[in-house]
Amino acid sequence: ETGVTQTPRHLVMGMTNKKSLKCEQHLGHNAMYWYKQSAKKPLELMFVYSLEERVENNSVPSRFSPECPNSSHLFLHLHTLQPEDSALYLCASSRTGTGISEQYFGPGTRLTVT
Amino acid sequence: GQNIDQPTEMTATEGAIVQINCTYQTSGFNGLFWYQQHAGEAPTFLSYNVLDGLEEKGRFSSFLSRSKGYSYLLLKELQMKDSASYLCAVRGQAGTALIFGKGTTLSVSS
């Protein structure tokens, strides 16, 4: 148990489908993140929530819509995706403030868009 | 712009020592992190440097030179289970998310 869980672990969806990815952290952290990891590319930060408010949004297409109802849960709503959106989507959490505040990652959701 | 560079692949043999280098150019600096990621798994935290110098943690050590924008991860007494991707990441400003390099895939052979 890493302390950060993600469901589903694998998802195959068509371009017209709507689905949601879920992340839950059990570490008492107050910041949560969505990253996209594609082959041969660095981890790309998508969204950051700190104290349940979105604080970073790195030019992500509107077909990705995040939701953070509380400090323990984070969702990524997906609709009308493209094949190039196929990737590993990683959720992470951390404490905010000064100090090390390392990020703890979930196992990821492997998304395939057909 | 923000840029983090590290070699794409490295190979080594069991029992050896390997050094993975990372250079960075970021707007601001508030710490450098190394993560290990085995295939199909989540990245796990290895080390953190915010001041110049060497941080040692068992078989793994990490070094930072802020003036040179340079870090390395040193792995000693390599084991087969050390075969993984090693990610260098920088936090540019306090309280912000990490910026990751592409990762270095290390293959350890017997």
Side-chain angles (χ1 to χ4, degrees):
Chain A
E1 180 60 61
T2 63
V4 181
T5 59
Q6 289 186 244
T7 55
R9 294 294 308 274
H10 300 272
L11 177 62
V12 178
M13 60 186 287
M15 289 190 283
T16 58
N17 291 159
K18 289 184 181 181
K19 297 286 184 183
S20 295
L21 309 184
K22 179 182 176 182
C23 175
E24 186 172 356
Q25 61 94 3
H26 313 272
L27 301 168
H29 291 161
N30 51 15
M32 297 187 78
Y33 313 78
W34 279 118
Y35 286 91
K36 176 183 178 182
Q37 188 173 37
S38 305
K40 312 282 187 194
K41 286 187 172 183
L43 276 166
E44 299 172 52
L45 178 66
M46 299 177 74
F47 302 103
V48 181
Y49 277 83
S50 178
L51 301 173
E52 299 158 41
E53 287 191 22
R54 191 188 311 179
V55 295
E56 283 190 54
N57 177 351
N58 284 8
S59 302
V60 178
S62 59
R63 56 186 184 268
F64 295 92
S65 174
E67 178 190 0
C68 187
N70 55 61
S71 61
S72 298
H73 294 86
L74 184 65
F75 295 90
L76 188 63
H77 303 300
L78 317 171
H79 63 97
T80 59
L81 294 190
Q82 304 298 312
E84 61 263 30
D85 296 322
S86 298
L88 181 68
Y89 288 84
L90 289 162
C91 172
S93 70
S94 72
R95 289 180 291 107
T96 56
T98 58
I100 182 171
S101 299
E102 72 270 31
Q103 294 178 11
Y104 290 79
F105 285 85
T109 295
R110 174 68 62 185
L111 174 66
T112 303
V113 181
T114 60
Chain B
Q2 321 242 64
N3 193 47
I4 298 179
D5 283 319
Q6 48 182 135
T8 304
E9 295 179 341
M10 298 184 73
T11 59
T13 53
E14 270 188 305
I17 299 173
V18 71
Q19 177 175 311
I20 303 174
N21 296 324
C22 171
T23 57
Y24 64 89
Q25 294 171 303
T26 56
S27 53
F29 179 82
N30 196 252
L32 186 142
F33 297 75
W34 284 96
Y35 281 81
Q36 180 192 60
Q37 186 177 23
H38 285 101
E41 297 182 14
T44 55
F45 170 74
L46 285 179
S47 70
Y48 169 73
N49 296 71
V50 68
L51 299 176
D52 290 352
L54 189 67
E55 294 284 339
E56 298 188 77
K57 193 186 288 187
R59 293 189 299 115
F60 293 2
S61 304
S62 57
F63 171 83
L64 175 68
S65 169
R66 288 171 297 169
S67 62
K68 295 181 180 177
Y70 168 69
S71 172
Y72 67 72
L73 179 69
L74 193 70
L75 293 78
K76 302 176 186 175
E77 301 169 17
L78 280 173
Q79 303 174 10
M80 298 291 286
K81 67 178 183 179
D82 297 327
S83 293
S85 183
Y86 291 86
L87 310 177
C88 175
V90 173
R91 183 159 57 212
Q93 309 276 350
T96 61
L98 302 181
I99 306 158
F100 282 84
K102 292 183 179 181
T104 299
T105 300
L106 174 66
S107 300
V108 180
S109 58
S110 56

